[in-house]
Amino acid sequence: MPIEPNARGYFGAFGGRFVPEVLVAALEELEAAMRGAFADEGFWAEYREVLRDFVGRPSALYPALRFLGADASVPLLFKREDTNHTGAHKINNTVGQALLARRMGKRRLIAETGAGQHGVATATVGAKFGLPVDVYMGELDVERQALNVYIMQLLGATVHPVSGGTKTLKDATNEAFRVWAAQVEESFYVIGSVVGAHPYPYMVREFQKVIGEETRAQCLERYGRLPSDVIACVGGGSNAMGIFSAFVDDPEVRLWGVEAAGEGVASGRTAAALGAGSVGVLHGSRSYLLQSERGQVIETHSISAGLDYPGVGPEHAFLKDSGRATYVPITDDEALAAFYDCAKSEGIVPALESAHALAFAKKLAAQRTSDALVVVNLSGRGDKDIAQVRALRERAEVRS
Amino acid sequence: MRLVDAFAARSKRRPAFVPYVMAGDPDLATTEAVVRALARNGATAIELGIPYGDPLADGPTIAAAGARALASGITIEDVLGSVARLAPEIPSSIVLFTYFNPLDRYGLERFARDAARAGAAGAIVPDIALEESEELRAIFALHCIDVPMLVAPSTPPERAVKIAAASSGFLYIVSRLGVTGAASEPDFAPMRRQVAALRAATDLPLALGFGVSRPEHVRAVADDVDAVIVGSALIDALAGTSGDDAVAATERFVSGLFA
């Protein structure tokens, strides 16, 4: 069974509810509604139906025969979250939260977004369920992800550029919390990862655990055994918690969370909260955090906008400290190399986020033998990253 | 000066005046001059903001003031240095206002001790609600640092009573849903629904904040609460000033507010 947080929302020493008083009643209302929904088989039946008919689940568990090279003997499987509607795992969560919002009688959805994937996934369910959506997005990200801004608008959402702080995901999240505080009665805040105040980290994991449940069943059915290793990228960490949660009770399955090292964990230009951060409080929960000695959150860097976040979900902090999962860094350059390799060897253009997990799979496979069974959560497709990768390549060509 | 003494000694001015300023915006010398001016002009207590980069409870005015102060390199130690210079001179209580993470990083015990030595009367930490506040309140109580807690319009009545019981120094009533700032009107209806029950639950002074920015607001609540907390409107009035200009702007603002 996946880990249950305690009554105050703690996974061990991590989690909790560090929010202004104005939000406490809303979080309590949300928690009560969530527990009611989770105990209602009818709620889950509708959730599964939407995932099947709208999202296109179950996603395939695909044997990647060429990515590791012709002479590789280690079996490698991709969990194909990239084939979901809207192109990533994010939609599993927004479907669940939109159903819950409707059940609670909320009339609007609020979301934060960095790269725009969660914003698009929220705008999508807003359109499907007829709920107006306000998306908060840092000004820099609005510029960098113009295509996703347009898609959100096409879906009927209003995108609000956020000009405070670093003008990225952290500040978009601050603003979404503030807006939610002003309209808690009518609005539902759809958080995009396993972060935030209790019950969000737990609730988002429950809406993503379908990834792990499918993977586990597919492995047992097809290979008659569990995987030896499960690899997923970690920014806030929702795709990773989704796939890890089905295996936490199986000590023989090694769990690997891959963080964005950026230019290197010690470079000062990184987003590896677990690898380079320390314990602190951000966005409502206690977890690892990239912060200064004075407790100010510091600016992060990653080639992947979806991993470019100074915090990480509290359950990951717990899995790290308990030793159940191992967190490893992958740099921008390593991820980019894996991005190209995957496109050419498998005919799949992965998201830059997922490319971090792929890069680590290559490293791990070098230490494994043919009796291993390695699963990578291919959390999203790379269409959104094409313009960025192309610009990087053109710049590199000019230099050389 | 402790809050209980400051409220007991307050002038006939009703309600009591509790202004908020951000330490180090634009520089500490200006902040100290403004605090002295506020004290001369009848402030019962003065909230002194310690800047934090991710202030979830604050609107654009205070968030921007914090960003300016951080950009000039202001630290907790610097702010406590100001408190140590101000506290012996002024007849107002000084209440520090900041967020949990920088305090946690500094060390709760160390902060409470250093704040008490500097002469601060209290500390408001708006991102720890009742459930997460127990340890902090216990540590701060040992050092005689009051911790005023917040009650919001969304707080259910039975919870408001528990918050009142946990609060010290005064009880901070948030006027409306949302964050600090003068951009939208305060709403006194939720406060009026809550006040009777809060009076029954606590003897602490009741202070109303969030959006209280104009003389008509002050007059409107004079019979309901013991104090008004005014932050963003004062910071807006000080915009672009420093030194003597800031002192003059402060005096104009206070005389206008209580006109």
Side-chain angles (χ1 to χ4, degrees), chain A residues 182-197:
Chain A
Q183 35 181 264
V184 281
E185 278 150 10
E186 67 268 25
S187 295
F188 187 106
Y189 180 17
V190 182
I191 293 187
S193 192
V194 287
V195 301

Side-chain angles (χ1 to χ4, degrees), chain B residues 52-127:
Chain B
Y52 178 56
D54 295 271
L56 273 191
D58 284 308
T61 298
I62 291 179
R68 289 190 296 268
L70 281 176
S72 74
I74 296 299
T75 64
I76 290 181
E77 289 90 333
D78 295 332
V79 180
L80 293 177
S82 278
V83 174
R85 285 186 289 276
L86 291 164
E89 292 177 24
I90 62 172
S92 318
S93 298
I94 298 175
V95 177
L96 297 160
F97 185 111
T98 192
Y99 286 80
F100 185 71
N101 200 55
L103 289 192
D104 193 39
R105 198 74 191 152
Y106 189 91
L108 296 181
E109 180 78 43
R110 178 179 162 221
F111 180 81
R113 186 196 61 212
D114 292 353
R117 276 190 195 151
I124 296 173
V125 190
D127 61 340

Side-chain angles (χ1 to χ4, degrees), chain A residues 43-56 95:
Chain A
F43 177 83
W44 288 116
E46 186 175 9
Y47 168 76
R48 282 190 297 268
E49 191 182 302
V50 177
L51 290 190
R52 185 192 66 205
D53 298 341
F54 186 64
V55 175
V95 165

Side-chain angles (χ1 to χ4, degrees), chain A residues 2 136 148 183 202 242 248 269 273 325 331 333 393:
Chain A
Y136 294 85
N148 270 342
Q183 35 181 264
Y202 166 70
V248 286
R269 283 178 54 79
T331 64
D333 291 345
R393 177 169 269 187

